Amino acid sequence: MKIYFGAEYVDVEEDAFGEFASRYQQVAAGGGLVRNSDGKVLMILRHGIWDLPKGKQEPDEEIETCALREVEEETGLTNLKLGKLICITHHTYKVFGISCLKNTYWYEMQYNGSETPVPQAEEDITRAEWIGPDALPGCLETTYPSIREVFGKNM
């Protein structure tokens, strides 16, 4: 499995993942690859980088519930339909000098409503937009490698 360190990654065998992960503070997160009835994909822009909505799992929260809640919070959309698990991505980061390993569970989601996405400003999200097939390659050029992995597993 790939473990991302910024733009770089290392491959870690599944049987060695536990030992590798033990060196980090574990963070579980859930997110969604949301499509609307027009076949567009919901993306957010945070710190000038296109991303998918996601966030940390709360204590005693099911990961599927977390994924739906985080997409709703970061985009303002409601009535999302949860689909299958696409993949789990792993990336490292530091916060207050602590090395963390975030394990993000990515789900397919469908949205059939008419609400306009609203970016969650408190999370430094400046845009939440439906991206069509023609514009998607440009967004994927300016996103994280782990997000490209999610799309690669779902195209």
Side-chain angles (χ1 to χ4, degrees):
M1 66 183 58
K2 291 180 181 173
I3 312 293
Y4 293 95
F5 298 86
E8 303 295 319
Y9 70 88
V10 296
D11 278 313
V12 175
E13 297 293 325
E14 279 195 49
D15 59 351
F17 180 74
E19 181 182 336
F20 175 88
S22 70
R23 301 177 192 150
Y24 294 86
Q25 173 76 39
Q26 299 291 301
V27 178
L33 178 56
V34 185
R35 288 190 167 84
N36 67 13
S37 55
D38 294 330
K40 294 180 178 178
V41 174
L42 181 63
M43 295 192 78
I44 60 172
L45 190 69
R46 184 184 347 235
H47 304 294
I49 299 172
W50 286 106
D51 202 350
L52 292 173
K54 66 182 171 313
K56 294 178 189 170
Q57 184 179 24
E58 299 290 334
D60 300 321
E61 181 180 43
E62 296 293 326
I63 196 67
E64 297 88 351
T65 303
C66 167
L68 284 167
R69 176 184 55 76
E70 286 292 342
V71 172
E72 289 179 1
E73 287 177 2
E74 291 192 347
T75 67
L77 298 178
T78 58
N79 299 315
L80 296 160
K81 182 179 176 190
L82 184 72
K84 69 175 184 143
L85 177 68
I86 300 168
C87 66
I88 304 167
T89 61
H90 311 277
H91 75 272
T92 63
Y93 63 96
K94 280 195 174 188
V95 62
F96 304 117
I98 298 170
S99 296
C100 299
L101 176 63
K102 185 182 274 187
N103 306 298
T104 305
Y105 294 71
W106 293 102
Y107 291 89
E108 292 180 346
M109 294 184 192
Q110 184 67 38
Y111 179 73
N112 294 317
S114 59
E115 298 169 291
T116 300
V118 177
Q120 186 181 23
E122 308 85 57
E123 291 290 330
D124 297 321
I125 301 169
T126 54
R127 292 165 65 184
E129 296 183 13
W130 293 108
I131 307 296
D134 293 343
L136 188 58
C139 293
L140 293 179
E141 285 179 15
T142 59
T143 193
Y144 302 100
S146 59
I147 298 302
R148 286 192 288 274
E149 181 179 335
V150 174
F151 277 93
K153 305 253 183 189
N154 195 259
M155 296 308 255

Short mmCIF file of all heavy atoms in Angstrom, two decimals, residues 100-154:
data_model
loop_
_atom_site.label_atom_id
_atom_site.label_comp_id
_atom_site.label_asym_id
_atom_site.label_seq_id
_atom_site.Cartn_x
_atom_site.Cartn_y
_atom_site.Cartn_z
N CYS A 100 1.82 12.33 12.44
CA CYS A 100 0.52 11.68 12.33
C CYS A 100 0.42 10.88 11.03
O CYS A 100 1.02 11.26 10.02
CB CYS A 100 -0.60 12.72 12.36
SG CYS A 100 -0.65 13.69 13.87
N LEU A 101 -0.35 9.82 11.07
CA LEU A 101 -0.68 9.04 9.89
C LEU A 101 -2.19 9.05 9.76
O LEU A 101 -2.90 8.51 10.61
CB LEU A 101 -0.17 7.60 10.02
CG LEU A 101 -0.54 6.65 8.88
CD1 LEU A 101 0.08 7.11 7.56
CD2 LEU A 101 -0.10 5.23 9.20
N LYS A 102 -2.68 9.73 8.72
CA LYS A 102 -4.12 9.82 8.50
C LYS A 102 -4.54 8.71 7.54
O LYS A 102 -3.99 8.59 6.43
CB LYS A 102 -4.53 11.17 7.93
CG LYS A 102 -6.05 11.32 7.80
CD LYS A 102 -6.46 12.65 7.21
CE LYS A 102 -6.57 13.69 8.28
NZ LYS A 102 -7.13 14.96 7.76
N ASN A 103 -5.50 7.91 7.98
CA ASN A 103 -6.07 6.82 7.18
C ASN A 103 -7.46 7.27 6.79
O ASN A 103 -8.36 7.32 7.63
CB ASN A 103 -6.11 5.54 8.02
CG ASN A 103 -4.75 5.20 8.59
OD1 ASN A 103 -3.81 4.97 7.86
ND2 ASN A 103 -4.63 5.22 9.91
N THR A 104 -7.63 7.63 5.51
CA THR A 104 -8.91 8.19 5.05
C THR A 104 -9.68 7.16 4.25
O THR A 104 -9.18 6.61 3.27
CB THR A 104 -8.67 9.45 4.19
OG1 THR A 104 -7.89 10.38 4.95
CG2 THR A 104 -10.00 10.10 3.81
N TYR A 105 -10.91 6.92 4.68
CA TYR A 105 -11.84 5.99 4.03
C TYR A 105 -12.68 6.80 3.05
O TYR A 105 -13.41 7.71 3.45
CB TYR A 105 -12.74 5.32 5.07
CG TYR A 105 -11.99 4.41 6.01
CD1 TYR A 105 -11.14 4.92 6.98
CD2 TYR A 105 -12.12 3.03 5.90
CE1 TYR A 105 -10.44 4.08 7.83
CE2 TYR A 105 -11.42 2.18 6.75
CZ TYR A 105 -10.58 2.72 7.71
OH TYR A 105 -9.89 1.89 8.55
N TRP A 106 -12.54 6.46 1.76
CA TRP A 106 -13.21 7.21 0.69
C TRP A 106 -14.41 6.43 0.17
O TRP A 106 -14.27 5.26 -0.20
CB TRP A 106 -12.24 7.47 -0.46
CG TRP A 106 -11.14 8.40 -0.06
CD1 TRP A 106 -9.86 8.06 0.25
CD2 TRP A 106 -11.21 9.81 0.06
NE1 TRP A 106 -9.13 9.18 0.56
CE2 TRP A 106 -9.94 10.27 0.46
CE3 TRP A 106 -12.25 10.75 -0.11
CZ2 TRP A 106 -9.67 11.62 0.67
CZ3 TRP A 106 -11.97 12.09 0.10
CH2 TRP A 106 -10.70 12.51 0.48
N TYR A 107 -15.56 7.10 0.11
CA TYR A 107 -16.80 6.47 -0.34
C TYR A 107 -17.35 7.16 -1.57
O TYR A 107 -17.21 8.38 -1.73
CB TYR A 107 -17.87 6.54 0.77
CG TYR A 107 -17.55 5.66 1.93
CD1 TYR A 107 -16.79 6.12 2.99
CD2 TYR A 107 -17.98 4.34 1.96
CE1 TYR A 107 -16.46 5.30 4.06
CE2 TYR A 107 -17.67 3.52 3.03
CZ TYR A 107 -16.91 4.00 4.07
OH TYR A 107 -16.60 3.18 5.12
N GLU A 108 -17.98 6.37 -2.42
CA GLU A 108 -18.79 6.93 -3.49
C GLU A 108 -20.00 7.57 -2.84
O GLU A 108 -20.56 7.01 -1.88
CB GLU A 108 -19.27 5.86 -4.46
CG GLU A 108 -18.21 5.22 -5.28
CD GLU A 108 -18.76 4.16 -6.22
OE1 GLU A 108 -19.92 3.72 -6.05
OE2 GLU A 108 -18.01 3.73 -7.11
N MET A 109 -20.42 8.71 -3.36
CA MET A 109 -21.65 9.36 -2.90
C MET A 109 -22.37 9.94 -4.09
O MET A 109 -21.75 10.32 -5.08
CB MET A 109 -21.34 10.47 -1.88
CG MET A 109 -20.77 9.98 -0.59
SD MET A 109 -20.55 11.34 0.59
CE MET A 109 -19.54 10.53 1.82
N GLN A 110 -23.69 9.99 -3.98
CA GLN A 110 -24.53 10.55 -5.04
C GLN A 110 -25.34 11.70 -4.46
O GLN A 110 -25.83 11.60 -3.33
CB GLN A 110 -25.46 9.47 -5.61
CG GLN A 110 -26.30 9.92 -6.78
CD GLN A 110 -25.46 10.22 -8.03
OE1 GLN A 110 -24.49 9.53 -8.31
NE2 GLN A 110 -25.84 11.25 -8.76
N TYR A 111 -25.46 12.76 -5.24
CA TYR A 111 -26.29 13.90 -4.84
C TYR A 111 -27.25 14.20 -5.98
O TYR A 111 -26.83 14.41 -7.12
CB TYR A 111 -25.42 15.13 -4.55
CG TYR A 111 -26.25 16.32 -4.17
CD1 TYR A 111 -26.86 16.38 -2.93
CD2 TYR A 111 -26.47 17.35 -5.08
CE1 TYR A 111 -27.67 17.46 -2.59
CE2 TYR A 111 -27.26 18.43 -4.74
CZ TYR A 111 -27.85 18.48 -3.49
OH TYR A 111 -28.65 19.54 -3.16
N ASN A 112 -28.53 14.20 -5.68
CA ASN A 112 -29.55 14.44 -6.71
C ASN A 112 -30.37 15.69 -6.45
O ASN A 112 -31.42 15.88 -7.05
CB ASN A 112 -30.47 13.23 -6.83
CG ASN A 112 -29.74 12.01 -7.36
OD1 ASN A 112 -28.95 12.11 -8.29
ND2 ASN A 112 -29.95 10.87 -6.72
N GLY A 113 -29.93 16.56 -5.55
CA GLY A 113 -30.68 17.76 -5.20
C GLY A 113 -30.31 18.95 -6.07
O GLY A 113 -29.64 18.82 -7.10
N SER A 114 -30.75 20.12 -5.61
CA SER A 114 -30.52 21.35 -6.36
C SER A 114 -29.81 22.42 -5.53
O SER A 114 -29.68 23.56 -5.98
CB SER A 114 -31.85 21.90 -6.88
OG SER A 114 -32.72 22.15 -5.78
N GLU A 115 -29.32 22.07 -4.33
CA GLU A 115 -28.61 23.04 -3.51
C GLU A 115 -27.29 23.43 -4.17
O GLU A 115 -26.68 22.63 -4.88
CB GLU A 115 -28.26 22.43 -2.14
CG GLU A 115 -29.44 22.03 -1.29
CD GLU A 115 -29.00 21.21 -0.09
OE1 GLU A 115 -28.57 20.06 -0.29
OE2 GLU A 115 -29.08 21.74 1.03
N THR A 116 -26.87 24.65 -3.94
CA THR A 116 -25.57 25.11 -4.39
C THR A 116 -24.57 24.83 -3.28
O THR A 116 -24.82 25.20 -2.13
CB THR A 116 -25.60 26.62 -4.71
OG1 THR A 116 -26.57 26.84 -5.73
CG2 THR A 116 -24.24 27.12 -5.15
N PRO A 117 -23.44 24.20 -3.58
CA PRO A 117 -22.45 23.95 -2.52
C PRO A 117 -21.95 25.25 -1.91
O PRO A 117 -21.76 26.24 -2.61
CB PRO A 117 -21.31 23.23 -3.25
CG PRO A 117 -21.86 22.79 -4.56
CD PRO A 117 -23.00 23.69 -4.88
N VAL A 118 -21.75 25.22 -0.60
CA VAL A 118 -21.25 26.38 0.14
C VAL A 118 -19.97 25.96 0.86
O VAL A 118 -20.01 25.04 1.69
CB VAL A 118 -22.30 26.87 1.17
CG1 VAL A 118 -21.75 28.03 1.98
CG2 VAL A 118 -23.59 27.26 0.47
N PRO A 119 -18.84 26.61 0.56
CA PRO A 119 -17.59 26.22 1.20
C PRO A 119 -17.59 26.56 2.69
O PRO A 119 -18.10 27.60 3.09
CB PRO A 119 -16.53 27.02 0.45
CG PRO A 119 -17.25 28.17 -0.16
CD PRO A 119 -18.67 27.71 -0.38
N GLN A 120 -17.02 25.69 3.50
CA GLN A 120 -16.92 25.89 4.94
C GLN A 120 -15.71 26.79 5.22
O GLN A 120 -14.58 26.32 5.30
CB GLN A 120 -16.80 24.55 5.66
CG GLN A 120 -16.84 24.67 7.16
CD GLN A 120 -16.69 23.32 7.85
OE1 GLN A 120 -16.14 22.38 7.29
NE2 GLN A 120 -17.16 23.25 9.09
N ALA A 121 -15.97 28.07 5.43
CA ALA A 121 -14.89 29.05 5.62
C ALA A 121 -14.05 28.74 6.85
O ALA A 121 -12.83 28.98 6.85
CB ALA A 121 -15.48 30.46 5.72
N GLU A 122 -14.66 28.21 7.91
CA GLU A 122 -13.91 27.91 9.14
C GLU A 122 -12.80 26.90 8.89
O GLU A 122 -11.86 26.80 9.68
CB GLU A 122 -14.82 27.36 10.24
CG GLU A 122 -16.05 28.18 10.56
CD GLU A 122 -17.21 27.85 9.63
OE1 GLU A 122 -17.64 26.68 9.55
OE2 GLU A 122 -17.69 28.79 8.98
N GLU A 123 -12.93 26.10 7.85
CA GLU A 123 -11.92 25.10 7.49
C GLU A 123 -11.02 25.60 6.35
O GLU A 123 -10.35 24.81 5.69
CB GLU A 123 -12.59 23.79 7.07
CG GLU A 123 -13.27 23.07 8.22
CD GLU A 123 -12.28 22.49 9.23
OE1 GLU A 123 -11.16 22.12 8.83
OE2 GLU A 123 -12.64 22.41 10.42
N ASP A 124 -11.04 26.92 6.12
CA ASP A 124 -10.23 27.55 5.08
C ASP A 124 -10.57 27.06 3.68
O ASP A 124 -9.72 27.05 2.79
CB ASP A 124 -8.72 27.35 5.35
CG ASP A 124 -8.29 28.03 6.64
OD1 ASP A 124 -8.78 29.14 6.92
OD2 ASP A 124 -7.47 27.44 7.36
N ILE A 125 -11.80 26.64 3.48
CA ILE A 125 -12.26 26.22 2.15
C ILE A 125 -12.82 27.46 1.47
O ILE A 125 -13.73 28.11 1.99
CB ILE A 125 -13.32 25.11 2.24
CG1 ILE A 125 -12.73 23.90 2.97
CG2 ILE A 125 -13.83 24.72 0.85
CD1 ILE A 125 -13.75 22.84 3.35
N THR A 126 -12.27 27.80 0.31
CA THR A 126 -12.69 29.02 -0.39
C THR A 126 -13.66 28.76 -1.52
O THR A 126 -14.38 29.67 -1.94
CB THR A 126 -11.47 29.78 -0.94
OG1 THR A 126 -10.68 28.90 -1.74
CG2 THR A 126 -10.62 30.33 0.21
N ARG A 127 -13.69 27.50 -2.02
CA ARG A 127 -14.63 27.15 -3.08
C ARG A 127 -15.10 25.72 -2.89
O ARG A 127 -14.34 24.86 -2.45
CB ARG A 127 -13.96 27.28 -4.46
CG ARG A 127 -13.66 28.71 -4.82
CD ARG A 127 -12.69 28.85 -5.98
NE ARG A 127 -13.19 28.36 -7.26
CZ ARG A 127 -12.46 28.34 -8.37
NH1 ARG A 127 -11.21 28.77 -8.36
NH2 ARG A 127 -12.96 27.88 -9.48
N ALA A 128 -16.35 25.48 -3.25
CA ALA A 128 -16.92 24.13 -3.31
C ALA A 128 -17.72 24.13 -4.61
O ALA A 128 -18.70 24.86 -4.73
CB ALA A 128 -17.82 23.86 -2.11
N GLU A 129 -17.28 23.34 -5.57
CA GLU A 129 -17.85 23.42 -6.92
C GLU A 129 -18.04 22.06 -7.55
O GLU A 129 -17.30 21.11 -7.27
CB GLU A 129 -16.91 24.23 -7.82
CG GLU A 129 -16.76 25.66 -7.39
CD GLU A 129 -15.88 26.46 -8.35
OE1 GLU A 129 -15.60 25.98 -9.47
OE2 GLU A 129 -15.48 27.57 -7.97
N TRP A 130 -19.02 22.02 -8.45
CA TRP A 130 -19.22 20.85 -9.29
C TRP A 130 -18.28 20.97 -10.48
O TRP A 130 -18.33 21.96 -11.21
CB TRP A 130 -20.67 20.76 -9.76
CG TRP A 130 -21.62 20.49 -8.63
CD1 TRP A 130 -22.51 21.36 -8.08
CD2 TRP A 130 -21.76 19.26 -7.93
NE1 TRP A 130 -23.19 20.74 -7.06
CE2 TRP A 130 -22.75 19.45 -6.95
CE3 TRP A 130 -21.14 18.01 -8.01
CZ2 TRP A 130 -23.14 18.45 -6.07
CZ3 TRP A 130 -21.52 17.01 -7.14
CH2 TRP A 130 -22.52 17.22 -6.19
N ILE A 131 -17.44 19.98 -10.67
CA ILE A 131 -16.43 20.00 -11.73
C ILE A 131 -16.83 18.99 -12.81
O ILE A 131 -17.02 17.82 -12.53
CB ILE A 131 -15.04 19.63 -11.17
CG1 ILE A 131 -14.67 20.51 -9.97
CG2 ILE A 131 -13.98 19.67 -12.26
CD1 ILE A 131 -14.52 21.98 -10.28
N GLY A 132 -16.95 19.50 -14.04
CA GLY A 132 -17.31 18.65 -15.16
C GLY A 132 -16.12 17.88 -15.71
O GLY A 132 -14.96 18.20 -15.40
N PRO A 133 -16.39 16.89 -16.55
CA PRO A 133 -15.31 16.06 -17.11
C PRO A 133 -14.23 16.84 -17.85
O PRO A 133 -13.06 16.47 -17.80
CB PRO A 133 -16.04 15.11 -18.07
CG PRO A 133 -17.46 15.13 -17.62
CD PRO A 133 -17.71 16.47 -17.00
N ASP A 134 -14.61 17.95 -18.50
CA ASP A 134 -13.61 18.73 -19.24
C ASP A 134 -12.64 19.46 -18.32
O ASP A 134 -11.46 19.62 -18.66
CB ASP A 134 -14.29 19.74 -20.17
CG ASP A 134 -15.05 19.06 -21.30
OD1 ASP A 134 -14.78 17.87 -21.57
OD2 ASP A 134 -15.91 19.72 -21.92
N ALA A 135 -13.11 19.92 -17.16
CA ALA A 135 -12.28 20.68 -16.23
C ALA A 135 -11.55 19.79 -15.23
O ALA A 135 -10.59 20.23 -14.59
CB ALA A 135 -13.13 21.70 -15.48
N LEU A 136 -11.98 18.54 -15.09
CA LEU A 136 -11.41 17.66 -14.08
C LEU A 136 -9.90 17.44 -14.23
O LEU A 136 -9.18 17.51 -13.23
CB LEU A 136 -12.16 16.32 -14.06
CG LEU A 136 -11.79 15.38 -12.92
CD1 LEU A 136 -12.00 16.02 -11.56
CD2 LEU A 136 -12.61 14.09 -13.04
N PRO A 137 -9.37 17.19 -15.43
CA PRO A 137 -7.92 16.99 -15.54
C PRO A 137 -7.11 18.15 -14.99
O PRO A 137 -6.08 17.94 -14.33
CB PRO A 137 -7.68 16.80 -17.04
CG PRO A 137 -8.99 16.25 -17.54
CD PRO A 137 -10.04 16.96 -16.73
N GLY A 138 -7.55 19.38 -15.20
CA GLY A 138 -6.84 20.54 -14.66
C GLY A 138 -6.85 20.56 -13.15
O GLY A 138 -5.85 20.91 -12.52
N CYS A 139 -7.98 20.18 -12.54
CA CYS A 139 -8.06 20.13 -11.08
C CYS A 139 -7.16 19.02 -10.53
O CYS A 139 -6.51 19.20 -9.50
CB CYS A 139 -9.50 19.89 -10.64
SG CYS A 139 -10.61 21.26 -11.01
N LEU A 140 -7.10 17.90 -11.22
CA LEU A 140 -6.28 16.78 -10.74
C LEU A 140 -4.79 17.08 -10.85
O LEU A 140 -3.99 16.49 -10.12
CB LEU A 140 -6.64 15.50 -11.49
CG LEU A 140 -8.04 14.96 -11.21
CD1 LEU A 140 -8.29 13.70 -12.01
CD2 LEU A 140 -8.28 14.73 -9.73
N GLU A 141 -4.42 18.00 -11.73
CA GLU A 141 -3.01 18.40 -11.82
C GLU A 141 -2.58 19.18 -10.59
O GLU A 141 -1.41 19.20 -10.25
CB GLU A 141 -2.78 19.27 -13.07
CG GLU A 141 -2.76 18.48 -14.36
CD GLU A 141 -2.55 19.38 -15.57
OE1 GLU A 141 -2.14 20.56 -15.39
OE2 GLU A 141 -2.80 18.91 -16.68
N THR A 142 -3.54 19.84 -9.94
CA THR A 142 -3.23 20.69 -8.79
C THR A 142 -3.85 20.14 -7.52
O THR A 142 -4.40 20.88 -6.71
CB THR A 142 -3.71 22.13 -9.03
OG1 THR A 142 -5.13 22.10 -9.25
CG2 THR A 142 -3.02 22.75 -10.22
N THR A 143 -3.77 18.83 -7.35
CA THR A 143 -4.29 18.21 -6.13
C THR A 143 -3.22 17.31 -5.53
O THR A 143 -2.10 17.20 -6.06
CB THR A 143 -5.59 17.42 -6.40
OG1 THR A 143 -6.20 17.09 -5.15
CG2 THR A 143 -5.34 16.16 -7.21
N TYR A 144 -3.56 16.66 -4.45
CA TYR A 144 -2.64 15.77 -3.76
C TYR A 144 -2.59 14.41 -4.47
O TYR A 144 -3.60 13.96 -5.02
CB TYR A 144 -3.09 15.57 -2.32
CG TYR A 144 -3.18 16.86 -1.55
CD1 TYR A 144 -4.41 17.48 -1.34
CD2 TYR A 144 -2.03 17.46 -1.04
CE1 TYR A 144 -4.49 18.67 -0.63
CE2 TYR A 144 -2.11 18.65 -0.33
CZ TYR A 144 -3.34 19.25 -0.13
OH TYR A 144 -3.42 20.42 0.56
N PRO A 145 -1.45 13.73 -4.41
CA PRO A 145 -1.35 12.40 -5.03
C PRO A 145 -2.39 11.41 -4.48
O PRO A 145 -2.90 10.59 -5.23
CB PRO A 145 0.07 11.95 -4.69
CG PRO A 145 0.84 13.20 -4.45
CD PRO A 145 -0.15 14.17 -3.86
N SER A 146 -2.71 11.50 -3.21
CA SER A 146 -3.70 10.58 -2.64
C SER A 146 -5.09 10.81 -3.23
O SER A 146 -5.86 9.86 -3.39
CB SER A 146 -3.75 10.70 -1.11
OG SER A 146 -4.08 12.02 -0.72
N ILE A 147 -5.39 12.04 -3.61
CA ILE A 147 -6.69 12.33 -4.23
C ILE A 147 -6.71 11.77 -5.64
O ILE A 147 -7.73 11.20 -6.08
CB ILE A 147 -6.97 13.86 -4.24
CG1 ILE A 147 -7.03 14.38 -2.80
CG2 ILE A 147 -8.24 14.19 -5.00
CD1 ILE A 147 -8.08 13.74 -1.90
N ARG A 148 -5.60 11.85 -6.36
CA ARG A 148 -5.53 11.23 -7.69
C ARG A 148 -5.71 9.72 -7.57
O ARG A 148 -6.32 9.09 -8.43
CB ARG A 148 -4.20 11.58 -8.37
CG ARG A 148 -4.16 13.01 -8.87
CD ARG A 148 -2.99 13.28 -9.80
NE ARG A 148 -1.71 13.31 -9.13
CZ ARG A 148 -1.19 14.38 -8.54
NH1 ARG A 148 -1.84 15.52 -8.55
NH2 ARG A 148 0.00 14.31 -7.95
N GLU A 149 -5.21 9.13 -6.49
CA GLU A 149 -5.40 7.70 -6.26
C GLU A 149 -6.89 7.37 -6.12
O GLU A 149 -7.36 6.37 -6.68
CB GLU A 149 -4.64 7.25 -5.01
CG GLU A 149 -4.79 5.78 -4.72
CD GLU A 149 -4.02 5.31 -3.49
OE1 GLU A 149 -3.03 5.95 -3.10
OE2 GLU A 149 -4.42 4.28 -2.93
N VAL A 150 -7.63 8.19 -5.38
CA VAL A 150 -9.08 7.96 -5.22
C VAL A 150 -9.76 7.97 -6.58
O VAL A 150 -10.56 7.08 -6.89
CB VAL A 150 -9.72 9.01 -4.28
CG1 VAL A 150 -11.23 8.85 -4.22
CG2 VAL A 150 -9.11 8.93 -2.88
N PHE A 151 -9.46 8.96 -7.40
CA PHE A 151 -10.07 9.03 -8.73
C PHE A 151 -9.64 7.84 -9.57
O PHE A 151 -10.45 7.28 -10.31
CB PHE A 151 -9.68 10.34 -9.43
CG PHE A 151 -10.55 11.50 -9.04
CD1 PHE A 151 -10.17 12.33 -8.01
CD2 PHE A 151 -11.74 11.74 -9.70
CE1 PHE A 151 -10.95 13.40 -7.64
CE2 PHE A 151 -12.54 12.80 -9.34
CZ PHE A 151 -12.15 13.65 -8.29
N GLY A 152 -8.37 7.44 -9.47
CA GLY A 152 -7.88 6.32 -10.24
C GLY A 152 -8.59 5.01 -9.92
O GLY A 152 -8.76 4.15 -10.78
N LYS A 153 -9.01 4.86 -8.68
CA LYS A 153 -9.71 3.63 -8.26
C LYS A 153 -11.19 3.69 -8.60
O LYS A 153 -11.90 2.70 -8.44
CB LYS A 153 -9.56 3.43 -6.75
CG LYS A 153 -8.15 3.41 -6.26
CD LYS A 153 -7.73 2.04 -5.87
CE LYS A 153 -6.33 2.14 -5.31
NZ LYS A 153 -5.70 0.93 -5.08
N ASN A 154 -11.68 4.88 -9.04
CA ASN A 154 -13.12 5.05 -9.26
C ASN A 154 -13.48 5.47 -10.66
O ASN A 154 -14.58 5.86 -10.92
CB ASN A 154 -13.67 6.05 -8.24
CG ASN A 154 -15.17 6.02 -8.17
OD1 ASN A 154 -15.83 6.86 -8.74
ND2 ASN A 154 -15.70 5.04 -7.48
#
